[in-house]
Amino acid sequence: MSTPPRPDTAARPARIGDIDVLRGFALLGILLVNAQMMAGPYTGVGGGPDASAVDRGAAWVVTALVATKFYLLFSFLFGYSFTLQQRSAERAAAAFAPRHLRRSVVLFLLGLAHAVLLYPGDILMTYAALGLVLFAFRTALPRIVLRIAAGLLGAVAVLLLAYGLLVLSTTEPVRPEGLATVASDSVAGYRGGPGSVVMANVRLLPHALAGDLLFAADLLAAFLTGLAAGRWRALADPDRHRARMKRIVHRGLPIGLAGGVFMAVCSNGPLDNRWFYVGRAAGILTAPALTAAYACGLLLLVRTRAGRRIGDALAPAGRMSLTNYLTQSLVLALTFTGYGLGLYDRVGTAVVQAGCLVLYATQLALSALLLRHTRYGPVEFLLRGATRGKRPRAHGATADDSRRAEAPAAPVTGCSARQGELPRADGQDVDPGHGPRGAPGHRPGAGCQRR
């Protein structure tokens, strides 16, 4: 007689490799924006008054093409993975609520340590809090969820536009010397010893949390969009949606690029800094179009012969994206603060971005190497164990899991059975937070750049 399979392994399908590819891609955008925030008070706008045209141009390009786009992609994937974790709990006949609560608590604690020790612009605490809100929508219909998401997005844009117009009509431009005192305090704090760095992070944390609150609705809208896509299993078989993805690329690129350029003009010049919130309102409305175009374009690319290698390079980093996100902050802190080299406000924007490319390439290589020998990154191992309340198996599968065809699954009930679909991916799909910060108040002068 054969031994019946255990409930938590009987219907385990292969991972959805496209999720890992998208996460691996998003890590680059997160790094480019976070590095500018951590490198100095003016790095996000290309440097101080005497900055070179090269540095100003480099910062301008990141604002136009990267800022506010990649945290949306991570947030979308967080919402999508919420549905995968929910199905995983159903397959294991486990209660989902305790799993989700444990996961949220661990994310919050990781985020708190990250914010205090490395980077006050942490996103994990916000993800943990909004993840609890997302739980309330776990049974909502996708179309209703999308309407709520659209309403949240519109509300944030209107709020920012109204405030921006008020600032534009009632204030004068802030001159660089007006920030000199605050910036000098920031420089002194981050160039000091470890204790000085921690105190500088703690001083900026309330401002960072205020920025989180302002943009929480934007994040939640992306969560809900991912939740709806997960209900529809949009990433289960993207080949069915090739025509739709091509339309998204063709329509999303011009809309998103126009909004990104306008946001850069308002944030990085030639318009003065009073236009920041007006530009940010335009960015909130148009960034989803460019994010969707990026994502669909990448999914189409990795389905070509030349693009398969790109997907193979990105997937391992995306599979351990939380570890990579925290590692990025650690390396940046060792580079720019008193923890290590103390290069805060001493390196130009273009050099910072070139260093980011080197760090990102290193992470791609090391992620692939590590996942040849283990199933999870170290932080993913911790989070998965806390989520499931037991130690996960560290070995027995490799990064090749991301490329396997879906294995047959046991019969399912409810919505999945009615749709005639098999469950896809389990709780192995661990979301990073992602995302960086950069709203006004995080660091002096850094408010001109968000994520």
Side-chain angles (χ1 to χ4, degrees), residues 143-213:
R143 287 183 176 82
I144 294 177
V145 167
L146 288 178
R147 289 173 190 152
I148 295 173
L152 289 171
L153 201 65
V156 174
V158 169
L159 177 63
L160 290 174
L161 179 61
Y163 183 70
L165 293 175
L166 179 64
V167 169
L168 194 60
S169 61
T170 60
T171 65
E172 295 295 327
V174 178
R175 299 186 179 278
E177 53 267 24
L179 294 172
T181 301
V182 179
S184 63
D185 292 341
S186 176
V187 170
Y190 283 109
R191 289 184 186 174
S196 175
V197 174
V198 170
M199 290 305 301
N201 286 338
V202 170
R203 283 195 301 270
L204 290 175
L205 188 55
H207 301 288
L209 293 176
D212 291 346
L213 183 62

Side-chain angles (χ1 to χ4, degrees), residues 291-306:
T291 301
Y294 284 163
C296 291
L298 179 60
L299 293 180
L300 290 170
L301 176 63
V302 299
R303 278 160 175 75
T304 65
R305 179 176 298 178

Side-chain angles (χ1 to χ4, degrees), residues 32 56 95 123 154 164 195 198 201 215 233 241 273 332 447 450:
L32 287 171
R56 292 190 181 278
I123 191 105
V198 170
N201 286 338
F215 289 94
R233 304 172 190 264
H241 308 298
N273 47 38
L332 293 172
R450 176 178 168 79

Side-chain angles (χ1 to χ4, degrees), residues 183-262:
S184 63
D185 292 341
S186 176
V187 170
Y190 283 109
R191 289 184 186 174
S196 175
V197 174
V198 170
M199 290 305 301
N201 286 338
V202 170
R203 283 195 301 270
L204 290 175
L205 188 55
H207 301 288
L209 293 176
D212 291 346
L213 183 62
L214 176 62
F215 289 94
D218 184 30
L219 283 171
L220 182 58
F223 279 15
L224 294 175
T225 304
L227 176 68
R231 292 274 179 257
W232 284 325
R233 304 172 190 264
L235 296 177
D237 186 10
D239 289 324
R240 294 185 303 168
H241 308 298
R242 281 180 180 266
R244 179 175 297 176
M245 289 194 295
K246 290 179 180 178
R247 288 195 299 269
I248 290 174
V249 172
H250 293 156
R251 297 173 184 176
L253 275 178
I255 295 172
L257 288 174
V261 167
F262 181 71

